[in-house]
Amino acid sequence: MSPVPLAVYGLSELRTALLRQDMLQAVEQALISHSQGRVVAPPPGVLLFENPPGDCHIKSGYMKDGSVFVVKLAMGFYQNPSRGLETNNGLVLVFDSHTGKTLAVLNDEGWLTSWRTAAAGALAAKAGAPSQVSALGIIGTGHQAQLQARWACELLGVKRVFIWGRRFGKAQQLAKSLGHQGLNAQAADTVEEVFAHCNVVITCTPSTERVVPSAAVKAGTHIVALGADSPGKQELDPQLLKRARVIMTDDHHQCLDHGEMGHAVRARLITEDADVSLGQVLAGQVPGRFSDDDLTIADLTGLAAQDVALATLAVARLQAAN
Amino acid sequence: MSPVPLAVYGLSELRTALLRQDMLQAVEQALISHSQGRVVAPPPGVLLFENPPGDCHIKSGYMKDGSVFVVKLAMGFYQNPSRGLETNNGLVLVFDSHTGKTLAVLNDEGWLTSWRTAAAGALAAKAGAPSQVSALGIIGTGHQAQLQARWACELLGVKRVFIWGRRFGKAQQLAKSLGHQGLNAQAADTVEEVFAHCNVVITCTPSTERVVPSAAVKAGTHIVALGADSPGKQELDPQLLKRARVIMTDDHHQCLDHGEMGHAVRARLITEDADVSLGQVLAGQVPGRFSDDDLTIADLTGLAAQDVALATLAVARLQAAN
């Protein structure tokens, strides 16, 4: 019985191995593959903890035409900050889908999830953007807000960013940090101010009630809603979905269940078949918008396909480097 | 952002850290805890592969009064032997159940599962054994058969073993190997021969149809059935369960679903409440047998609690050693 060495890679190795351009391409392909039914992803598992409160989400999946399968563990322990620890934690495991052999343990500290979400947000922003993007709006000031601003600005080719958060100080802080990264970013006093300046807006808050009122949004705007990734969350006034000419979802069923679309369907403002798939838009099979006057919305809930795509890319790059 | 080192332990470290006596104690406690409802274990997840055929089972759980949670991945890829690879593969991940922090990756090559199964088999053999054990019978000649023989002989304090397998040559081979380990083992020509010599018999085959006919089994025998760990598997003639004075199950619902008990209930030979819990027997709360003339059966399907117990033990020992 010979010992089996296990390849473990940490965050710094992942940072070196993964280029933003490659991640965007991989996630775009994953969204398209998902829309074509070429991804296998069973329902996620969850372990719940009571004392202290926490959860561990177990997601897994693979591409039918790929060579690996991926198991992702994402932990949230909500009293960690009081102990000086990060709330979130995670681990991504990659296996050979023809032999079951463990290929790599990616000790990514949750960053692969951040990147795959940032990539999908940027791709969705571009998929529905009007021909001229005035400025990018960001609703939210957290870790994902920072990534969304950088990734989407690069992909859209814009430098101007308006940020709103419940706490103005945090929005200012983020604007300053983005300024150091070459963007022209400023904090906004109100959500309305963001929508007054920006015709592409990404919402990435953990909100459980509508943050964006319909009246704030003018025709010709494209909204990417990222926050509603589990039941009970909501960022948009459901009237916005009724007004939208195009609603693109990353996954029809997930968005019906817990996305912005679900809220609007349950409020009987739109029908269950009101959406097109983001993957189809990215593949050029259906338009993301018809004219510059359209209000369009991308509703993203997060896909195992995105995790599979980045883990596959990471292993390919890391193995090539070693 | 400081790098987070990941503690990875391989099989040789696990072999050194884990003593059989400690494992038996840990698994006994786990079976008792499980019977007392002190284990949280959500339904396992499964990823299925078609080409080549394979599966990945994802089990997870924790003890309510423990300090870790465990996620176990067990892979089976059935064409691996034709490539010179092992069919089974696995990985056990251990996390702090108060913070979600990754404590260890146990690259056990599937051995923790083997050991926890061997421990449960041995404990169940003892739990229902008559006062005088004539010899231990083993039905099956695989990896688990070898372990069962060694662990159960030690716990029962017997040296004499009879082995039957579909292929006589494999039974002879196993007998020889056990001989080198100080046991007095011999291959039997028939299942009947095993039961003629032995009043404690462990069945550990992957069979999908009854291997042990009721007529082969005399009163005063204790059978431990380990093989039926998933739907479609079966080792015992269901009449045996009707004849049994005591049926002890590791988990009532699992055994009803896919254990030997389920076959007998569906054949209307016994009622759904015919069993007692092995954990309760081990805790001394209910008897494993009433007299030396009883026919008794232990029906084991495998518990997440066992995985949690061994992973917890391993991490405690490995951390103490480092």
Side-chain angles (χ1 to χ4, degrees):
Chain A
M1 189 78 45
S2 64
V4 177
L6 196 62
V8 179
Y9 302 100
L11 181 56
S12 63
E13 288 157 297
L14 288 166
R15 281 188 191 284
T16 309
L18 293 171
L19 303 177
R20 194 181 298 175
Q21 199 51 48
D22 291 345
M23 290 196 264
L24 282 164
Q25 214 167 72
V27 170
E28 180 167 28
Q29 203 48 58
L31 290 161
I32 294 171
S33 292
H34 180 86
S35 74
Q36 295 170 342
R38 291 194 284 120
V39 180
V40 176
V46 64
L47 268 177
L48 297 175
F49 302 88
E50 282 175 12
N51 188 21
D55 49 52
C56 169
H57 292 267
I58 306 173
K59 293 185 182 174
S60 61
Y62 64 92
M63 309 272 189
K64 284 182 186 169
D65 45 8
S67 60
V68 307
F69 70 93
V70 172
V71 177
K72 181 174 94 166
L73 306 174
M75 280 73 81
F77 279 77
Y78 304 98
Q79 288 175 8
N80 272 3
S82 70
R83 304 175 176 212
L85 299 170
E86 298 276 343
T87 300
N88 295 301
N89 226 308
L91 211 57
V92 176
L93 305 154
V94 188
F95 304 90
D96 186 311
S97 61
H98 296 112
T99 66
K101 184 174 176 287
T102 309
L103 296 176
V105 177
L106 308 178
N107 191 18
D108 70 320
E109 302 174 40
W111 276 85
L112 286 170
T113 301
S114 298
W115 292 330
R116 63 88 144 148
T117 305
L123 290 162
K126 183 147 189 199
S131 53
Q132 297 293 323
V133 179
S134 53
L136 175 70
I138 299 285
I139 306 295
T141 58
H143 173 62
Q144 190 56 232
Q146 158 115 238
L147 287 176
Q148 289 298 329
R150 287 163 44 204
W151 289 55
C153 277
E154 184 173 302
L155 199 64
L156 293 168
V158 300
K159 293 267 182 199
R160 228 169 141 221
V161 185
F162 288 82
I163 302 152
W164 178 87
R166 275 178 309 154
R167 284 151 63 192
F168 187 71
K170 285 203 75 181
Q172 281 182 306
Q173 224 169 12
L174 176 53
K176 195 173 157 189
S177 155
L178 292 173
H180 292 312
Q181 293 165 61
L183 296 176
N184 172 8
Q186 66 184 84
D189 284 309
T190 60
V191 170
E192 282 75 7
E193 191 187 331
V194 171
F195 280 89
H197 289 102
C198 308
N199 59 359
V200 175
V201 178
I202 302 177
T203 64
C204 42
T205 73
S207 180
T208 54
E209 51 191 27
R210 51 194 82 170
V211 174
V212 180
S214 181
V217 184
K218 55 184 184 291
T221 303
H222 178 51
I223 304 175
V224 178
L226 282 178
D229 59 353
S230 58
K233 292 192 179 173
Q234 182 171 21
E235 297 182 298
L236 307 184
D237 183 338
Q239 289 290 349
L240 285 163
L241 285 99
K242 186 177 180 184
R243 288 175 53 199
R245 178 119 184 238
V246 177
I247 299 171
M248 50 191 103
T249 54
D250 58 356
D251 180 83
H252 177 72
H253 296 286
Q254 284 185 191
C255 290
L256 264 184
D257 182 66
H258 55 263
E260 302 296 338
M261 187 176 163
H263 291 290
V265 169
R266 285 188 296 277
R268 295 174 190 260
L269 294 169
I270 59 171
T271 58
E272 281 202 10
D273 60 356
D275 62 322
V276 297
S277 130
L278 172 59
Q280 285 185 297
V281 175
L282 292 172
Q285 292 166 339
V286 297
R289 77 164 41 237
F290 293 90
S291 92
D292 276 349
D293 294 330
D294 291 343
L295 169 60
T296 56
I297 294 175
D299 187 11
L300 304 187
T301 50
L303 303 178
Q306 294 164 249
D307 298 317
V308 174
L310 284 205
T312 306
L313 179 66
V315 168
R317 292 285 184 272
L318 289 162
Q319 287 181 336
N322 288 317
Chain B
M1 189 77 47
S2 64
V4 176
L6 197 62
V8 179
Y9 301 100
L11 180 56
S12 64
E13 288 158 295
L14 288 166
R15 280 189 191 283
T16 309
L18 292 171
L19 303 177
R20 195 181 296 175
Q21 201 49 50
D22 292 344
M23 289 196 266
L24 281 165
Q25 217 168 71
V27 169
E28 181 167 26
Q29 204 45 58
L31 289 161
I32 294 172
S33 292
H34 180 85
S35 75
Q36 295 170 342
R38 293 194 283 118
V39 180
V40 176
V46 63
L47 268 177
L48 297 175
F49 303 88
E50 283 175 12
N51 188 21
D55 48 54
C56 169
H57 291 266
I58 306 172
K59 294 185 181 173
S60 61
Y62 63 93
M63 310 275 189
K64 284 181 185 168
D65 44 9
S67 60
V68 307
F69 70 93
V70 172
V71 177
K72 180 173 95 166
L73 306 174
M75 280 74 80
F77 278 77
Y78 304 97
Q79 288 176 8
N80 272 1
S82 70
R83 302 175 177 212
L85 299 170
E86 299 276 344
T87 300
N88 295 301
N89 224 308
L91 210 57
V92 176
L93 306 155
V94 188
F95 304 89
D96 186 312
S97 61
H98 297 113
T99 65
K101 184 175 175 286
T102 309
L103 295 176
V105 177
L106 307 178
N107 191 19
D108 70 320
E109 302 173 40
W111 276 85
L112 286 170
T113 301
S114 299
W115 293 329
R116 63 88 143 148
T117 305
L123 290 162
K126 183 148 190 198
S131 53
Q132 297 292 325
V133 179
S134 53
L136 176 70
I138 299 284
I139 307 295
T141 57
H143 173 61
Q144 191 54 234
Q146 159 115 239
L147 287 176
Q148 289 297 329
R150 287 164 46 203
W151 289 55
C153 277
E154 184 174 301
L155 200 65
L156 293 169
V158 300
K159 293 267 182 200
R160 227 166 143 228
V161 185
F162 288 82
I163 302 151
W164 178 85
R166 274 177 309 154
R167 284 150 64 191
F168 187 71
K170 285 204 75 181
Q172 281 182 306
Q173 224 169 14
L174 175 54
K176 195 172 157 190
S177 154
L178 292 173
H180 292 311
Q181 293 166 59
L183 296 176
N184 172 6
Q186 64 184 86
D189 284 312
T190 61
V191 171
E192 282 75 7
E193 191 186 332
V194 171
F195 279 89
H197 289 102
C198 309
N199 59 0
V200 175
V201 179
I202 302 177
T203 63
C204 42
T205 71
S207 180
T208 53
E209 51 190 28
R210 50 194 83 171
V211 175
V212 180
S214 181
V217 183
K218 56 183 184 290
T221 304
H222 178 50
I223 304 175
V224 178
L226 282 177
D229 60 352
S230 57
K233 291 192 180 174
Q234 181 172 22
E235 297 182 297
L236 307 184
D237 183 338
Q239 288 289 348
L240 284 163
L241 285 101
K242 186 177 181 182
R243 288 174 54 198
R245 179 117 183 240
V246 177
I247 300 170
M248 50 192 103
T249 53
D250 59 357
D251 180 84
H252 178 71
H253 294 287
Q254 283 185 192
C255 289
L256 265 184
D257 183 66
H258 56 262
E260 301 296 338
M261 186 177 165
H263 291 292
V265 168
R266 285 188 296 278
R268 295 173 189 261
L269 294 169
I270 59 172
T271 57
E272 282 202 11
D273 59 357
D275 62 323
V276 297
S277 131
L278 172 59
Q280 285 185 296
V281 175
L282 292 171
Q285 293 166 339
V286 299
R289 75 167 39 237
F290 293 90
S291 93
D292 276 350
D293 294 331
D294 290 344
L295 170 59
T296 55
I297 294 175
D299 187 11
L300 305 187
T301 48
L303 303 178
Q306 295 164 248
D307 298 317
V308 174
L310 284 204
T312 306
L313 179 67
V315 167
R317 292 284 183 273
L318 290 162
Q319 287 182 335
N322 288 318

